[in-house]
Amino acid sequence: MDLGDPAVAALLPLPLTLAVSLIDLRRRIIPDGLNLALLVLGVGFAALTGPALAAAGASLVQAAGAFLLLWALRAAYARLRGRTGLGLGDVKFIAAATAWTGLAGLPLLLLVASTSALAALALAALAGRRVDLAFRLPFGPFLALGLHATLWTAPPG
C-alpha cells in the first residue's frame, strides 16, 4: 500500500467520516470521540508520510490553527446574528480534517463542503421544502465530502 497515493489517503478516513455523516444526519451532532479519532488518525498518517516527529507536529499545529480560525468565525457570526451558524462539532471536524489536508487544503475542503450544501438546499427548495432562516442543515456530511475530495485531488498535509 502506497501511502502517497491520493486514493489511499482519501479512503483511510472513510469509516470515520461515514459514521460522522450518519450520526449528524440523524442526531444533528458530531461526536467528540469521532472527531478525536479522525484527528489522531490524521496526525498518525502525517507521521507515516514524512519525517515522523516534524510531520506529526506540523499536522497538530495546522489542526489547531484551523480550529482557532473557524471557532473565531463561529463566534463572530453568533455575535453579529445572535445565533450560531456553525456547530462546534463542525468546527472540531474541520480541525481534525486539517490534520489530514494541512492548511493548504482547507480552502478546497470548505469550497466543496459549502457548494455541495448549497446544492442540497437548492434541491430541498425545488422539492417543495421551505428553506428559510429556520431551516437547519447538518453540515457534517458535506464536510466529509469536502475532506475526501481534497484528499483525492491534493497530496496530504
Side-chain angles (χ1 to χ4, degrees), residues 18-41:
L18 282 175
V20 162
S21 297
L22 291 173
I23 292 169
D24 199 22
L25 284 169
R26 289 183 183 151
R27 296 182 27 214
R28 303 212 190 263
I29 187 171
I30 299 176
D32 286 344
L34 288 175
N35 278 332
L36 181 59
L38 187 65
L39 174 68
V40 169
L41 191 59

Side-chain angles (χ1 to χ4, degrees), residues 77-99:
Y77 182 87
R79 184 170 201 157
L80 288 171
R81 300 295 306 258
R83 64 188 184 110
T84 59
L86 187 64
L88 193 54
D90 297 324
V91 172
K92 293 173 188 176
F93 182 93
I94 293 166
T98 302

Side-chain angles (χ1 to χ4, degrees), residues 36-125:
L36 181 59
L38 187 65
L39 174 68
V40 169
L41 191 59
V43 171
F45 184 77
L48 290 174
T49 58
L53 190 57
S59 180
L60 275 174
V61 166
Q62 291 181 67
F67 177 82
L68 291 173
L69 176 69
L70 272 294
W71 181 84
L73 180 65
R74 177 184 189 268
Y77 182 87
R79 184 170 201 157
L80 288 171
R81 300 295 306 258
R83 64 188 184 110
T84 59
L86 187 64
L88 193 54
D90 297 324
V91 172
K92 293 173 188 176
F93 182 93
I94 293 166
T98 302
W100 286 87
T101 66
L103 286 172
L106 188 56
L108 179 59
L109 186 153
L110 292 174
L111 176 67
V112 170
S114 300
T115 304
S116 58
L118 286 171
L121 284 174
L123 289 173

